[in-house]
Every structure is written in C-alpha cells, then in structure tokens.
Amino acid sequence: MEGSSFDLATATDISTILRQWEENHQVYSFDPVPWLNRLADLVEGETELYMKMDPDPFDDRHPSRSDPTGNLGHMLKTIFKRDTFVNKLIGEYSRENYWSRLGQPDRDVNTLNVAATRLLLDVVPGLEASIVFQEAEGLITKLFSWAEKAPNPLQTYATGLLATAMEVSEIAGNHKDKNMHLVPIMLERLRDILNVFLEEKKKEKITSVRPFAMFQSKSQLKDGTINVESSENRLDDEPDEDPPTDAPSSVEIFAPPKKKIRRRKSRRDDEIKTSASTQIKLDIPTVKEESSNSSWAELEVNLIGTIQIHPLTDSTKMIMIFRYLASLGEYQDLLGHCIEHNAIDLILRSIDLKITGDSRLAFEALKYLSTLLCHKRFVQDFLCSDGLRKLLVIPRPSIAATGVSLCLYFLACSEDAMERICSGDQRVVEHMVIFAMWLLECGHESGRWNATLFFAVTFKLAVILDLFDKNDGLRLLYNAIATLSIFNDDEGPLDEDKEYVEKQSVKHVCSSLKRYFEAHMIRKLQLLAENVGSPTNSYQNMVKDNMYDNIQLLLEFLPFRAKWPAIDRFLSLNGIHQMLKIIAMAYDWTFNGRSETVRSALEVLALVSVYPRAQLALCEKVDVPFENSAVGIHIVLGASEGEIVNDSEVQKAALNAIINCVCAPKYRIGDDVSNMQWGTKKKSRSPEDLLEKMWECVRANNGIMVLLQLLLTKAPITDADSIRALACQALCGLARSAKVTQIMSQLPLFTSGQLQVLIREPILQDKRQEHVKFQKFAIELLERVLGKSKPALNEFDYSLDRIRRADIVAQTRISFNEKQLLMLIQQHLLSRGFGIAADALQKEADLPYQQPRILARSTVVGTPGAARARTFPVNHGASLPNRTVSNCQSTPSNGPSNSPRPTVKRIKTPRALQKAVENQLAPVLKVAPDRPNNEAKPSASLDDIVKEYLMNQHSLCRNPMVTCPEFDLFVPHKCPDPKPRGSAPTNFTMRYQRRALYPPAGGPMGAMLDRHLVYSRYKPSRTIKQGDSDSAFTCATFSACEQFVMVGTQTGDLKLFNKMTGADEATYTCHDSAIFKIEPNRDGSLVLTSSSWRRPLSALWSMGEFFDLKYSFDDEESLEFSKMTQDKVVGTRNEVATIYDVNTGQSVMSLKPTSSNAYTRNQATFNDTDDLILSDGVLWDVTSGKVIHKFDKLNQQLSGVFHPNGLEIVSSAEVWDLRTFHLLRTVPTLAQCVPSFSHSSKIMFGIPLDKEPDDEGMHSDSSFRVLDAQTYSQIATIDIKKSIYSLSIDTDDLTLVLVENTARDDVYGDLSESIVRLYDIGRQKDEDQQAEQEEEEETDEDDDEDGGSHTFSEAMSFLEDIQSLQSDSNSDNGPLSLPSVPSSSVSSYSSNSDSDSSWITEDSDVQDRPSNDEDQGDNDVFSALNS
C-alpha cells in the first residue's frame, strides 16, 4: 500500500512522510494510525531536544521564533502547510465514527482517536487555538467526553487539548457548565494519581542506589548538592551550623565577569557571617560545576524536567490536569470546587521536588498556584499552609524556580499578604528577598520580569527595601538592563523578537527603579521628620501623596551635603547615564511600551536629581549607541518638547526633572555656611555654584528656547495647561540667573505683552486649577525679569512697557499751583450756593472774582437747594476708607448779591477736574449715621486727592518723565514726546523746505526719514522669464561688473542675463541638482555655487576667458567668501565649519563645536574683518581656532549673520551684542527671515523662510521686509503675490533682483511661472503697473531710454517744481542728497509717518548723536545718485 520503496518505520523526513500520506490516504484500506504515530514520534523527539535547550517556560511563541535554528519549528510549519492533512487530523481522525462512515465498523476507532489526539497534542505549540477549536464542529464536546470517561491515554490527551482550548476565554465561557462538572472530577483524579505517584517515589527512594555515591564526601552531602537521602528540605527554626560559603547558591547564568562574581560572593559571605542571628540553613539542590559528580540524567529532571507523551506516565497525567485547572483558575465560579478538594494541598505536595523529583510537574503546579493567588481566600490558605517556605526551598536554577517567580509576583500584589509575611519570621523574608534577587539574574526572561515586578510592588515595604540594599540588589537590578544587547555597539542587528523582549525588560526595570527611589524618598522625608523632634513641627505632615510634591519638599529641606547611599550607589553604577541612553535610544523604538519606558526613566531622573551629585551627572556627556554623544540635559530637554516621544506625560516628567535642576533653593535648611571653605586644597562646592552650573548647562543646550516654546503650546489640549505651568516654573528658576534675565527682558513674550495674554484664560476651562499655578509662576517670572516687586497695576494686565511707565510715574514728584486749587474750591462753593463761604475764601486768599455758576448736572433732592451727593470709586492707588455721607442741604447765600465786584476775566474750570474732585471728596467726607452733629472727619486731604488725579493723568502719558514741570489744573497734562530740538519734520515737503536752515537733510533724523521714504517704494523695471527648455529659477544675484544677473536653476545650470535687455547671454552646467546660492567675488574672477543634494554640493568656478571648475567641495552644503581679502572661503557641513584656501583649495582649519545647536539652516559666515566666524550659533576666533562664545538658541533654523557695523549679530528675530554677548533686542518682523544688508549698511532686507524645513530653498511667503539697519524699525513690507526664492541688491543700492515663483505644493513651483524680476528702488509703482506685471509686458520706452537712471531724472524734475513754487525760500539748498518720488506719494507717506513715530525713540544713540555728523553719515547712502 505504501509502496515497497518507502519504509515508514525508518523515515525521518516529515515532508517525505506527508507526501507519501497524500499519495496513499484515499486508498480504501489505508490505515492512518502508523502514519500518525510515526509523525508523533518524530515531533516528540524534537520536542524533547527543544526542551533540553531550557527555553523560557512562559514563552508561548511558535518554536520557529523562539529557536529559529531548531528542527521543531520547521516540523510544525511543514505539518500545518499541509491543509489536507491538518483538516483530516482535526476533522475526521478525531471522530468516533470515522471507520463506520467508511464502511469499516470492525476496525478499532479508539486506536485512531488516540493516535490523532496524541499527534494533535504534540503540535499544540504550532496551533492557533482560537481558530482551530472554534472551527472544528463538535471537537470540544468530544474532548469533554473523553476527558471524563475515556480510558487512558485518550483521557489524558483530551485533557491536555482541553487545557489549550480553555485558554481562549470565549471558548471557556461557552462551556461554563461543562467545566463546572469536569473540574471536581479532575481534582479528585489528580489526588488519586498524586497519591499513587508519591508512594512509588518513596519506594524508589528506598531501593535506589546512586551511582558512585561512595566517592561523595560528607561535606558535599551536607552543603546542598543533589542528595536524595538528605533530611527534609526546610527552613529550620534554628540553624544547626553555619551555611557553606556559597550558600545562596546558584549558578549565575547571566553574571558579570568572574572577578566581579568573586568580589560579590565574598561580600555577601561577609554579610552572612556577620549576621548569625539571621542565618538560614538550606538543604537546597544546587549545581556545582567544580565538585559535582552528578550525571546530567539525574540533574535534568530537577532542572528542566520532561513530559513523556508516549508511553504515558503518572507525571504526564498530572501535568495535563494542572494545565487544564490553570486555564480555569481565575474564574470565581470554580473556586468552590478548589476549596472543597483542597487544591492548595495538592499543589504543595506536587512541588516537593525532594520527593517528586520532577521539575516540570512542579512548574505546572506553580502555574496553577499563581492563578489561584489572584484570589484573597487562597492567598490566606496558602500562607496558613506554610506554602511560602515550601516555595523557597525549590532548587535553583530550575524551571520550577522560574514558576516561583510568578507566584511571588502575585503574592506581592496582595498588600495584606505581604504585611503578614513581613511581620512574621524575618528569616523567611530574607530568604524570599534573596530568592527574588537570584531571579533577577536567572536565565529565563520571564523569571527576570516577574522578579523585577515583584520588587517594584514591594519596595514600599521597609523590610524588603532594607534587605534589598543590604544584598546589593540595586546592582543586580541595574545589570538586568546594562548587559542587554541593544545597548552594546558591538552586537549586530537583533531579530525582532529578541529586540522586543529586551525592550520589555528595559520597561520593567525602569518602572522598578522608579518605585525604588520613590520608596527611598519617602524614607528620607520620614527621617527628616523624626530628626526635628517636635510633634507640632511642619515636618511631621510633610509626606504627600503626589511624588512631585515630595520632591519639592526634599529640594527645600534636604541639606546640601547630606549623604544618600542609594543614589550614591546608583551613581557609582553609572545609572544616570544608562537612563539617559534609554531615553535617547527610545526615539527610534516602535514597541507599544515606549512611552511608559521613557516616562519611567525620566521619573527616575526626577527623583535622583534632588541629590546634588546627580545633577552634576546630568551635565556630563553620554555616549549613546549608534549615535553621537550628547549632554544629559540636552536629552532631557528633547524629551520635554516631545521630540523623543510625543506624549504629554513624558513631557511633564522631563520638565519636572529640569525643574529640580534649575529651581533648587540657593540656601537649604541645615546647611552650615561656615563649612563652605574655599581656602583648602580641595574646594567644596556650594549650592550657588551648583545652580550656576545647572543654569549654564541648560542655557548651553538651548533650554531657554525649548521652555519658551512650551509656554505657547496648545496641544494636547487636555495637558497643555499643565505643561505651560511646568515650563513657566522652570523659567522662574532660570530667571534667577542674571544672564538669563537679560535675555528674557528683550524677548517679545515680555516686551510685547504676550505673557499677559496667556495669563488671562486657560486653554481648557476644565483645567483652571492648573491655570492658577501657571498664573502664579508667570507673575513670579515677570517680577524676576524686571527685578522689581509687583507693580501697582492689574497683575494680569501688564507688560514690560507698562511696568516701565508705571515705575517712572511712581517716581515723579507731583506739584501744582495751590491758588488754582483754591479757585476751584471757590467755584465749587459758588455752584453749590455757599456764597458767604466763597466770599470769605476770596478775600482771605486774594482770589479773583468769579460769577456763581450752578453745575448743569446738579439736581435738587428733597428740598430746593439740596444737591445730590455723588459717589465715585476712589482710585486703587489711593488708600482712602470707604465711608458714607448723608445728603447735605445748602441754603441761599445771605451775603449782598448786588454789591459791586471788580471786573475780572472769568476763569473756566475744567469739568473733568471739577468732577473728579467732587466725586473723590464724596466718599471721603461721608459721615457715619451715629456721629453727633454730623461732624465729618476726612481721612485724606484735598491735596492727596488732587495729586492722585494728576498722577492718573501722568500715568496715561505715552512717554512719561520722572522730572515734570508744575502741573496745570486747568489744562490736561501730557508729557512731551522725546524729540531732538530742531528735528526734521516727517512730511517730506516740509523737510525739504528746511534744508536751507538745517542742512543737509532738514534737521536731525532727516536723512533717516529720507531713507525710509525711498526704501518704501519699489517699481518693477525688468522681467526675465524662463525659456521653453529652461527649468525653474532658484536664486539670483548681480555680477561683479553689474552688467549681468547671475541666475541659478533647478537643474543645476548657471545663467547670465543682461541687466539692461534681459537677454540670455550664457548658460553653464554647474551641478546636477538645484542651485540655491551664487556668490561672485568682488573682482568677478571667481564664483561660488552651492546645490541641494547631489555631489559635489558646492564648487568654486573661475570666470575669465573661460568658465572653468577650479575646485569642488563634495560635502560642503554652502560656501561663502571671506569679506576683506577674499582669499579664503568657509564651508558649512551640518554644524562643522571648514576654512579653505582659495588658491590651493586645501582645508586650512576645521571648526567643530563640542555641543551643537543643530540649526537646520546653518551657514557659516565671516565678519567684515575676517577675524571671526559665526557657525551654528558659535562664535569662533579665526586666528586661534578657539570658541569665543556660544549664543543661546532662540530659533530652530537660522544661526545668524554679522551686522555690517561689526558690533551686532542678527539671528532671525534676535539681535546680539558682540561686545557683551547680551541680547540687545528682538525684532519680530525678522522672525524666520534670511537677512541681507544694503551695501551702505543702512538698510536691511528679510526674506521669510519656507514653512517646511525639509524643502530646500522653498519660500512660501510672498512678501519681503525692509527695515532700518540702525534702529531696526520696519520701513515697509512689500507683497509681490508670488513666492520669493532669492533677493539681492546691487552695489549702488538702486536695484533689487528677486526670484519669483508661483507657490505650489511641490518644491520649486510651476515651471511656466518662474521669473526673475528687477525692481527700481525709490520709485512708485504706477496704477497700471500691476496689470503689466501680470502680463509680463515690456517696460515703458522712457525707462529704456533712461537706461535705468530714471529715478534720478524724476527726482530732479520734482525738486525743480518745488523750488519754483517756493520763491521766498533760499535758492541755495546744497547738493542733491537723495532721489525723490512723485509728489502724489508725499502725502500718503506723511500720514503713515505721523501715525507711527515710535521708532524715533527706540535708539537713544541716534537721538544723542550730533545732527550734522549723523545727517552727513546717513546721507552717504545716496552718494551714488549724485554723480
């Protein structure tokens, strides 16, 4: 039937057997039993070999994944690829009517069912139980029947298959009643089998003789090697003798090198010998490679165990029953049966390896025990049965010891159980801790995980924490991650499963370390409370529920020089660096526990950063595998801005770590300042020195920028308020540094009132509690930045400018004319009908006569003459009591009303002041009802009220002055705007008229106003369009001779266009990718080009008779000539700047910063004297190649350029002083703009960067900015309706060239709409110019005939018109100093200038400069126009 050439009994190839089966299984007389048995034999043989490799018993992965090189996984895959065979095996061979359906009822179906279930049980590791058992109709029902009533081995095989099926919760729920029926049967059957099994083991123990037993010494029999004749394994009540030196005992599978092992053992031995009262005598089977004469046959059963499927053994029967019970152990409905049949007793008898000798049986029993320990009732029964002692005597290493790890973890989850254990026999507790510590180094990942989780849960118990520290447990916990392959540079790429397992280990250890240090923190707080001694002291209730609240308490109360052994040990193990490595490497991880891992690591850093030494460790560099080294604070800051993991909890954990470093108090309780000696050889560090170092470290790693960006965060909306509050708290700590305060005081967040907008409302209304914290720290931050206490303003409604003005007002001495005040009083008396009193005041004070006047707003109340008393809320600046006054009646004056009066001019009383005096007098003069005779006792004088009124007027001044002249009560007060005497008017016509009196520009600031007028107007003069075969334009500049426009294209070509005609003169192929930068030298002999991505990235070309490549620079992303001599170029490659000699092309110097700012658009640049280089925010000395200063990073993209004045650096919106390295100012207009200066150095242009940094050269903004390079005031924003790629200005500052492309989603826009356009500076665009620009028509013939000099001719004609109209003015107005514009544009510019003249006061240097020198210097801008 099978063929004479095929011998089934000797076949070993699964594929061959299955192929033969497929050829023969449809034969009528085919008997599948031999085929199934042969397959089962082969699978069982490979399974036994697989188990001898000691795989993780809790690893339920397919064998092909856990052991890719093994044959078992290959066998299982081969079997399940044969769908016909698998369907037959599950759907037909497992039926009781298989033979009857084939018409062969006489054949034995039981044998077939046994063979089928046996093979099915063997291939369970490759089964997908949720699919197989649900799709097979009737299989589960048949398995229940066989497991209950069938004879063995079918009964056992069915039980094993049911165990696999019941692990699927859906299947278990569908067969709940059947399980209720079967579980008690299984428990009773287990008891019967166990009794028989133990009796047989006892008989074997009596009759068996161990081979070569006579060669074993007595000492070896006592010290714990395998000895079946030894006394009962137990934890004795009293030690009979000292334990052996290697007593705890075990083969340390994953341990450090041998030297470390010996050192650790000797240390532990010393600890055991010095604590005789807690010694434990352990008769525990161990493995001793040095002296053991045991055979592997004896050790295998105790270490690994076996499962013999065929022929069936009692051990296998019990294993299958335990598996079935373990799959149902968590269901509460079945607990009654477990209690009734005393399942705990069955388990404890099964794990006694001294009797059973089967580690695999013990492991399955422990798995069942772990499921029962989820229930409190069984935990108590387990402890009452002295189960913990029996767990702890299980030999290690063994597979059963790995099962103990899971039981210990579930025990730890029960707080009542752990409290009971810790309050009991301390020797048991110590042995439990030692056992768990051994598990931290065992060979199974699951054992290490469970032990790590056990300690994570139990660290809060003081007994376990002490034992853990006593036995150097922190080193073992640290080694659990330090030895992993993912942190080893030498290891190759790991397979996916191993990498996942190691990342899970990292997650568990980080969580455990967090609990460890949290427990130590609580203990440290308790010690501080105990040391105070007074029960009423605030220390007694200092321990909080929130971890971060406790951290803040420790920061405040922990002495600076206090010792903390746990953190010291962690530092000696290099633990902080390991945590930082985990955080940095998690950026590239993808497993689902990444956020939790990073958060736990950051919380560990937050806990240990309370300790000063730990803070110093964060300032050190960390070597990250497969990456460049980085400073620890830099990694934490990256996590705080969501760069590593975009998770709000991770961000908050990182911010808390930063807060601990920068917000620590300068002086702590308990510090003895006298001990801070600096005269000794070894200087001791003070808290202030540490804080200065931390502040500087955070600054150097761009902490200010990161924290300021977090203040503006709005996502995720649920945690944005919390993140803002934490970031603001960190900034408050940083603001204690004078350098940081100086930088912050110039930022728009404080100068423009942005912070007050954030203070007003929370991002999410439900988070008002977090917003209150933010408000608290924001106000504190403002106080520290200003260096003052809270101003007398609304605390949520002030900016730096308002506070400055309020400070000036507060220092102003108010004075006024007292006679004017008496006249006001006289007028008030007359208006109220008190004529006699008014006459008396007039005579005594010698006041001029005033006609009586009744206020129109006064009304009579009650009786005629009774005036209503009006109330007015007293200004918050005056401290006046709030009293009441009754309505007072006035009687007509009895004085002579017709007596002659001197004729005087009537004085008009300001109604505003009169009203204010009346209303502020009212609450002051109010009288309490019970005061006798209604005598009013004012609490403030009239002088105070008037001064308050004048002070309020003074506070409204835009530019208040401290020293003011006497205030006039009849004229509203206003401080004059600061303006130099004889300043030029803002109107151009008036300014031109004054040139004769104030040459050459009509007065101080005149040249500046002329410049603003000229550079606010641009008129298109020439358009260069791409040809049909040309690619898009990317950049443009003027040639050195000013006759050509040099244009770079997307395909790497360099084109020369005639400036006057726009004709294409020449085309050169320079690169294979888009050119984004072209720079010719001054004599036009050399040209630098830089491209986007294909090598060479940059090149130097000679432009003589021929256009030739001189040198290529493959890796330099950008090149730039030196400014003065132009004999050098500086190249940029990421953060590295390299200086090259132009003549040789050789590298002269390479400048690489130790800490990179990582600007995305970094371009190294020389200063005007070629002495300095700025690259990546670092200032270098070209001569020595040393770093001079590193500027704080306040933007992500632009490193900065030197200002032509040689005193400043412009980096995006920030302007830095080169002399002091202080932040001079921020210019929001220049934010994210590439700056370029005119050749006169008086005007600055800015082109906004694109919104997507990854798109090289792409600018999405359609406007460029024009600013005054001296005052940084904005002159104009010119919108051209297209994306700007490049801007350049000619040497005469008369013409601009722009590359304009239509904005599209792709990088370089629409190829058909890429143009280069030239603009005339100072000319107004005509009304029809816009339409002409869109249609790209030719320029007017007049402009062509002028040859580009139309600006000068138009200016001359305009000036002649003005001179003819001004016949009375001086005709000799000096030489023409600037180009003019048509008269139609003068009025519009004047109105704009009048409405915004704040720029005049922004630069005090300009105001104080002598007018003649300033005007002469400013006028040089237009000297080219005068020729």
Side-chain angles (χ1 to χ4, degrees), residues 530-566:
E530 293 172 0
N531 292 336
V532 174
S534 174
T536 61
N537 196 282
S538 60
Y539 277 102
Q540 298 294 333
N541 298 320
M542 65 173 11
V543 180
K544 308 293 183 182
D545 294 333
N546 191 321
M547 180 184 75
Y548 295 113
D549 292 340
N550 291 328
I551 289 176
Q552 293 302 316
L553 288 172
L554 272 182
L555 278 175
E556 182 178 356
F557 296 113
L558 182 68
F560 181 73
R561 288 176 174 78
K563 296 297 182 182
W564 201 330

Side-chain angles (χ1 to χ4, degrees), residues 299-518:
L299 294 177
E300 181 182 8
V301 178
N302 289 275
L303 298 182
I304 300 176
T306 59
I307 302 178
Q308 185 173 324
I309 302 297
H310 180 78
L312 202 60
T313 63
D314 289 340
S315 176
T316 304
K317 296 176 184 178
M318 290 187 290
I319 286 174
M320 297 305 168
I321 295 175
F322 274 126
R323 286 183 177 179
Y324 171 73
L325 294 174
S327 65
L328 301 171
E330 297 180 359
Y331 295 97
Q332 295 185 357
D333 298 339
L334 305 174
L335 296 183
H337 299 302
C338 300
I339 296 172
E340 180 181 354
H341 292 83
N342 198 2
I344 293 294
D345 177 67
L346 295 175
I347 294 171
L348 295 180
R349 291 168 64 192
S350 301
I351 64 175
D352 190 353
L353 288 179
K354 182 185 69 65
I355 298 177
T356 63
D358 192 338
S359 184
R360 182 66 60 172
L361 173 63
F363 172 76
E364 298 296 342
L366 290 171
K367 280 183 64 177
Y368 180 39
L369 175 62
S370 66
T371 60
L372 295 180
L373 291 178
C374 296
H375 311 286
K376 293 183 178 180
R377 168 63 186 274
F378 284 95
V379 172
Q380 300 301 324
D381 292 347
F382 174 75
L383 295 178
C384 292
S385 302
D386 202 19
L388 183 58
R389 287 177 180 265
K390 295 179 180 180
L391 276 184
L392 299 179
V393 297
I394 289 178
R396 56 187 190 270
S398 67
I399 192 174
T402 304
V404 173
S405 67
L406 187 59
C407 297
L408 289 178
Y409 170 65
F410 281 110
L411 270 178
C413 293
S414 175
E415 294 184 6
D416 296 337
M418 291 309 301
E419 290 179 0
R420 177 176 174 179
I421 292 172
C422 293
S423 60
D425 191 347
Q426 294 303 300
R427 294 175 301 169
V428 175
V429 179
E430 182 177 1
H431 190 207
M432 178 180 66
V433 173
I434 293 175
F435 198 113
M437 289 173 59
W438 175 87
L439 288 169
L440 289 175
E441 294 183 307
C442 74
H444 297 145
E445 287 286 353
S446 59
R448 297 197 293 270
W449 290 357
N450 292 329
T452 303
L453 295 174
F454 166 80
F455 282 117
V457 177
T458 58
F459 275 140
K460 58 187 176 183
L461 301 172
V463 176
I464 294 179
L465 185 63
D466 290 338
L467 290 172
F468 184 81
D469 289 334
K470 176 183 176 182
N471 292 278
D472 198 15
L474 185 59
R475 181 186 63 83
L476 301 179
L477 193 58
Y478 171 77
N479 284 343
I481 56 174
T483 57
L484 296 177
S485 300
I486 56 176
F487 300 115
N488 192 351
D489 293 336
D490 299 331
E491 293 284 344
L494 304 178
D495 62 86
E496 183 179 350
D497 290 335
K498 185 176 181 181
E499 185 177 354
Y500 175 81
V501 167
E502 292 194 352
K503 290 175 182 177
Q504 287 289 345
S505 298
V506 173
K507 182 182 75 170
H508 295 320
V509 171
C510 289
S511 177
S512 184
L513 285 172
K514 171 203 166 185
R515 299 298 181 90
Y516 172 78
F517 287 111
E518 192 173 0

Side-chain angles (χ1 to χ4, degrees), residues 58-73:
F58 288 104
D59 188 359
D60 57 356
R61 293 178 298 166
H62 196 282
S64 63
R65 296 177 60 186
S66 57
D67 182 23
T69 61
N71 290 330
L72 178 60

Side-chain angles (χ1 to χ4, degrees), residues 1271-1317:
T1271 63
Y1272 295 96
S1273 58
Q1274 184 172 357
I1275 298 175
T1277 299
I1278 310 300
D1279 190 359
I1280 62 172
K1281 309 300 182 183
K1282 293 185 179 182
S1283 296
I1284 304 175
Y1285 281 33
S1286 172
L1287 180 148
S1288 182
I1289 188 170
D1290 64 357
T1291 55
D1292 295 331
D1293 294 337
L1294 297 176
T1295 308
L1296 274 182
V1297 59
L1298 297 179
V1299 177
E1300 305 173 6
N1301 292 337
T1302 300
R1304 282 184 53 186
D1305 294 336
D1306 57 331
V1307 177
Y1308 292 105
D1310 192 345
L1311 300 182
S1312 62
E1313 297 183 3
S1314 180
I1315 61 175
V1316 174
R1317 197 186 303 274

Side-chain angles (χ1 to χ4, degrees), residues 636-695:
V636 178
L637 285 169
S640 68
E641 61 179 342
E643 179 183 345
I644 295 176
V645 180
N646 190 15
D647 183 85
S648 59
E649 295 299 327
V650 171
Q651 290 181 266
K652 289 191 285 187
L655 285 171
N656 278 291
I658 296 171
I659 288 171
N660 294 346
C661 295
V662 300
C663 297
K666 292 185 177 181
Y667 303 101
R668 305 193 190 189
I669 296 177
D671 284 337
D672 186 3
V673 180
S674 62
N675 291 334
M676 299 178 184
Q677 302 293 334
W678 296 94
T680 58
K681 294 182 179 180
K682 185 178 180 180
K683 294 182 179 181
S684 58
R685 188 178 294 274
S686 67
E688 287 190 60
D689 295 329
L690 177 62
L691 276 174
E692 288 288 347
K693 183 176 179 62
M694 297 309 302
W695 293 337

Side-chain angles (χ1 to χ4, degrees), residues 1042-1058:
E1042 299 288 339
Q1043 296 179 4
F1044 303 100
V1045 178
M1046 310 177 72
V1047 180
T1049 67
Q1050 183 181 359
T1051 56
D1053 294 335
L1054 174 63
K1055 288 180 170 293
L1056 296 183
F1057 292 94
N1058 190 290

Side-chain angles (χ1 to χ4, degrees), residues 915-1160:
K915 177 182 177 182
V917 172
E918 293 172 358
N919 292 336
Q920 295 202 29
L921 278 173
V924 176
L925 300 178
K926 288 181 180 179
V927 182
D930 56 351
R931 184 179 296 277
N933 300 326
N934 283 344
E935 295 179 1
K937 186 178 181 181
S939 61
S941 65
L942 182 62
D943 184 75
D944 294 336
I945 297 173
V946 175
K947 285 184 177 181
E948 176 67 20
Y949 165 75
L950 297 176
M951 183 72 75
N952 290 339
Q953 276 195 348
H954 188 42
S955 65
L956 297 177
C957 296
R958 183 175 181 181
N959 297 285
M961 298 186 299
V962 175
T963 304
C964 290
E966 184 178 77
F967 285 74
D968 192 336
L969 296 180
F970 300 103
V971 178
H973 168 74
K974 180 185 178 183
C975 290
D977 292 332
K979 191 174 183 181
R981 180 172 299 183
S983 296
T986 56
N987 185 279
F988 175 74
T989 305
M990 298 175 61
R991 191 164 64 249
Y992 180 77
Q993 291 175 343
R994 287 167 51 94
R995 287 188 177 185
L997 299 176
Y998 301 97
M1005 315 298 292
M1008 179 186 296
L1009 294 172
D1010 291 342
R1011 231 177 15 251
H1012 288 201
L1013 174 62
V1014 171
Y1015 283 96
S1016 63
R1017 286 156 169 75
Y1018 299 88
K1019 180 178 181 180
S1021 61
R1022 182 75 60 195
T1023 300
I1024 301 173
K1025 301 177 65 175
Q1026 65 187 84
D1028 296 336
S1029 60
D1030 294 338
S1031 60
F1033 300 138
T1034 55
C1035 62
T1037 187
F1038 291 100
S1039 63
C1041 62
E1042 299 288 339
Q1043 296 179 4
F1044 303 100
V1045 178
M1046 310 177 72
V1047 180
T1049 67
Q1050 183 181 359
T1051 56
D1053 294 335
L1054 174 63
K1055 288 180 170 293
L1056 296 183
F1057 292 94
N1058 190 290
K1059 178 181 176 182
M1060 298 303 174
T1061 64
D1064 188 351
E1065 301 289 349
T1067 300
Y1068 308 103
T1069 301
C1070 299
H1071 298 275
D1072 294 330
S1073 60
I1075 298 176
F1076 68 87
K1077 183 177 182 181
I1078 302 173
E1079 182 184 358
N1081 64 348
R1082 283 192 293 268
D1083 59 13
S1085 61
L1086 298 174
V1087 175
L1088 291 173
T1089 58
S1090 299
S1091 62
S1092 302
W1093 54 274
R1094 184 171 292 178
R1095 293 186 177 183
L1097 295 179
S1098 298
L1100 176 63
W1101 306 85
S1102 62
M1103 289 190 66
E1105 186 177 353
F1106 300 98
F1107 188 86
D1108 296 326
L1109 174 65
K1110 189 170 184 180
Y1111 303 111
S1112 61
F1113 304 89
D1114 291 347
D1115 298 322
E1116 300 300 334
E1117 301 166 0
S1118 174
L1119 287 178
E1120 180 180 304
F1121 280 111
S1122 54
K1123 299 294 193 304
M1124 180 173 288
T1125 60
Q1126 293 195 327
D1127 59 347
K1128 296 184 291 291
V1129 295
V1130 59
T1132 307
R1133 183 175 67 254
N1134 296 327
E1135 74 276 8
V1136 182
T1138 306
I1139 302 175
Y1140 295 93
D1141 186 274
V1142 170
N1143 297 319
T1144 64
Q1146 298 298 316
S1147 173
V1148 177
M1149 183 182 299
S1150 182
L1151 308 175
K1152 182 177 181 180
T1154 55
S1155 178
S1156 172
N1157 276 326
Y1159 286 100
T1160 59

